[in-house]
Every structure is written in C-alpha cells, then in structure tokens.
C-alpha cells in the first residue's frame, strides 16, 4: 500500500535519478555476476523494468527474463517499454516475491537490484527465489551498504533530524527499508537461511551518483524521497512549517557537490552472488 499509494508518484517523478543511479552500480556488478546467453533470469522487484531489458540483451533470444514487482504503475511503464523495445524474451508479473507462485527449478539466475531490502522478510523472498532456481543456480543482489557510508542519502537525513523528530512506530513505510541489508554478517546468515550456503561474491562498490540535475532538483529529491523524505512526510504540519529551514540547510549541503552535469554525491553498495547447492 505504501508503494502504490505514497511512493509511486515520487519515484516516477525522479525515475531519471533513481534508475540512473541504480544503473551506475549494476553496470559495475554485471561483470562479476556473469549472466550468460541463454540464461533464464528472475528479476525480483524489477520496478520500471530497465534491468529486465538490460538482462534480456545479455541472455539473447534463447534466454528469458521474468520481472516481478508489487507496484501496478511501475509495471504499466515496464510493459510499455518492453513492447516499444520489441523484447519478446521479457515478461512482467504483478506479485509479492515472498509468496508468489514461481516455477520450481526453472531459472538459472535470480537477480535483484535494490529490491530485496524492502521485503518484510528478505529470507522468505530469497527462499522462494531459491525454490525457483535450478540446482547450481545463483542469486545476484545489489543492496545499499549502511546509511553512514551513503552520504547521498544520509547527509540529508541528518539535516531533516535537526528540525524534526524521527518517524514514529505507526509511520507508513516501504518495509524494513533500503539499508536493511547493510551488514555483511547479517546478509550471509540470511542467504544461508534461505538455502544459499555458498557465497561466491561479496564485493563493495563505491561510486558517485547524481542526486539532481541542479541544486533545486537535488533539494526536492531529498525532501520527497528517501530517509529525509520519510521524516518530513511523517512530521505532517510541523514538516511543512520547517521546510524553509530544511531547504536552506540542504542548499548549503549540496553546493560543494555541484558539477557542470548535476549534483553528485558518494554512494556505496554490496554486490553479492551466492549459489544454490547442486
């Protein structure tokens, strides 16, 4: 409900930033993931479908890609863009990857870029993905590292908390949140619990990402999306009252990161690959 009712319009507005920054990290990770021609790939939390279309080019006409997402508007866009690209080896389904019925032992790869962190139970989603994989199949994940290692999100959150209280227990959220898989130790334990005892890759990726084509857009982005956006939204009227002060402080924060092509800030992810036993 949070995705479909609250977050979707904001994600569509800032798709060029959200998807563009995801692509920076996935383009680096693809070299290690080794997705091959002919592979059958499950894309978990596929969003707008860009990753599914990218992977479809890698697997070619002998391969296939199934994208799963819980957000109707995202998949409407994904289906339109798939048809425009004439990608006949891609299809999309609406569903919750924790519980949806997937073909057993069908896929060579289960892939997720910034998807599994949001599930109420990432282990449950990964276990369902495991069931859908062939013996020896692999799961390939890209997840954010800690908020402190991601100034692109964390710095604005600190500013929001200067002016507003943190969200309460009854806040409308997108699940455990984007940084719920920041810990390598926890991630390894979750993978093992989901049936992936063999971890082949646990690699840190550091890269600057664009948070706005100019400072005003960067400020709007932080006010509406991410941890700072949640704080402001959940503060209600107080959040609206404090917006001028928050915008002023965000402008001061963003100014040193402005380049000719936008505002670029540091980010950090894990690229993870683990295998289902033969």
């Amino acid at each position: 409900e949070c995705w479909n009712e609250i977050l979707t319009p904001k994600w569509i507005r800032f798709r060029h930033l959200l998807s563009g920054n995801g692509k920076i990290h996935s383009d680096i990770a693809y070299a290690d993931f080794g997705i091959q021609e002919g592979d059958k790939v499950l894309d978990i939390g596929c969003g707008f479908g860009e990753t599914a279309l990218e992977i479809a080019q890698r697997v070619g006409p002998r391969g296939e890609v199934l994208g799963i997402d819980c957000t109707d508007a995202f998949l409407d866009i994904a289906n339109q863009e798939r048809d425009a690209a004439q990608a006949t080896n891609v299809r999309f389904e609406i569903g919750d990857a924790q519980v949806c019925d997937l073909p057993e032992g069908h896929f060579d790869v289960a892939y997720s870029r910034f998807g599994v962190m949001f599930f109420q139970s990432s282990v449950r989603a990964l276990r369902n993905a495991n069931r859908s994989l062939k013996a020896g199949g692999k799961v390939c994940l890209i997840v954010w590292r800690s908020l402190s290692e991601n100034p692109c999100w964390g710095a604005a959150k600190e500013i929001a908390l200067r002016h507003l209280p943190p969200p309460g227990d009854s806040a409308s959220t997108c699940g455990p949140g984007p940084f719920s898989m920041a810990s390598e130790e926890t991630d390894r334990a979750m993978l093992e619990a989901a049936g992936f005892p063999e971890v082949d890759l646990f690699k840190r990726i550091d890269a600057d990402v664009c948070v706005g084509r100019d400072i005003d857009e960067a400020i709007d982005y932080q006010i509406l999306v991410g941890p700072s956006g949640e704080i402001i939204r959940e503060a209600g009227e107080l959040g609206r009252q404090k917006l001028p002060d928050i915008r002023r402080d965000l402008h001061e924060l963003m100014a040193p990161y402005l380049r000719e092509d936008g505002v670029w800030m540091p980010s950090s992810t894990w690229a993870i690959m683990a295998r289902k036993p033969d």
Side-chain angles (χ1 to χ4, degrees):
E1 290 176 0
C2 183
W3 280 103
N4 282 295
E5 296 174 10
I6 297 175
L7 298 180
T8 295
K10 301 173 184 180
W11 279 58
I12 291 174
R13 173 179 171 180
F14 294 111
R15 178 188 176 184
H16 58 291
L17 300 176
L18 291 158
S19 297
N21 294 340
K23 181 173 173 55
I24 289 171
H25 285 271
S26 55
D27 281 352
I28 296 171
Y30 281 141
D32 291 307
F33 288 162
I35 298 172
Q36 299 178 359
E37 185 177 359
D39 279 349
K40 297 177 180 178
V41 181
L42 173 67
D43 187 353
I44 301 168
C46 64
F48 297 109
E50 305 102 344
T51 50
L53 293 179
E54 290 170 2
I55 292 169
Q57 292 182 333
R58 291 176 174 270
V59 302
R62 294 191 302 109
E64 65 178 64
V65 184
L66 171 63
I68 299 285
D69 203 275
C70 69
T71 309
D72 298 294
F74 290 174
L75 291 191
D76 287 344
I77 292 170
N79 279 308
Q80 291 169 15
E81 295 186 356
R82 177 208 54 206
D83 293 346
Q86 298 182 329
T88 57
N89 58 346
V90 180
R91 62 188 177 92
F92 297 105
E93 290 184 5
I94 191 80
D96 179 348
Q98 298 172 109
V99 296
C100 64
D101 187 20
L102 297 170
E104 185 172 356
H106 179 77
F107 295 103
D108 300 286
V109 181
Y111 173 91
S112 183
R113 184 184 79 188
F114 301 150
V116 291
M117 310 99 63
F118 294 104
F119 287 109
Q120 201 64 39
S121 171
S122 295
V123 170
R124 193 175 184 188
L126 289 168
R127 189 176 291 138
N128 199 23
N130 181 294
R131 177 180 168 277
S132 77
L133 287 172
K134 300 174 183 176
K138 58 190 178 184
V139 62
C140 300
L141 309 175
I142 301 172
V143 300
W144 293 111
R145 299 182 73 238
S146 70
L147 192 57
S148 64
E149 291 159 316
N150 279 282
C152 62
W153 297 114
K157 179 180 181 179
E158 292 176 7
I159 286 174
L161 289 174
R162 289 181 197 167
H163 301 278
L164 297 169
D169 293 338
S170 61
S172 296
T173 71
C174 56
F179 306 99
S180 65
M181 295 184 68
S183 164
E184 178 177 354
E185 181 179 0
T186 299
D187 293 351
R188 288 180 179 274
M190 290 168 60
L191 285 163
E192 184 166 5
F196 295 100
E198 302 175 41
V199 178
D200 295 339
L201 176 74
F202 221 108
K203 180 178 179 179
R204 173 174 175 163
I205 299 175
D206 295 320
D208 286 352
V209 294
C210 183
V211 297
R213 290 168 293 192
D214 54 37
I215 290 181
D216 285 338
E217 184 178 59
I219 292 171
D220 290 343
Y221 183 51
Q222 297 291 347
I223 284 173
L224 292 171
V225 178
S228 53
E230 182 180 56
I231 292 165
I232 295 165
R233 181 185 76 237
E234 292 298 320
E237 180 57 31
L238 180 60
R240 288 185 284 275
Q241 292 174 10
K242 294 292 186 180
L243 264 182
D245 295 332
I246 295 171
R247 292 190 72 93
R248 179 200 63 221
D249 290 354
L250 285 173
H251 192 286
E252 184 179 343
L253 167 69
M254 302 293 179
Y257 295 100
L258 180 63
R259 305 178 188 173
E260 289 186 3
D261 58 345
V263 180
W264 292 77
M265 298 184 72
S267 72
S268 188
T269 60
W270 291 121
I272 306 167
M273 186 169 68
R275 292 188 182 274
K276 179 177 180 177
D278 291 326

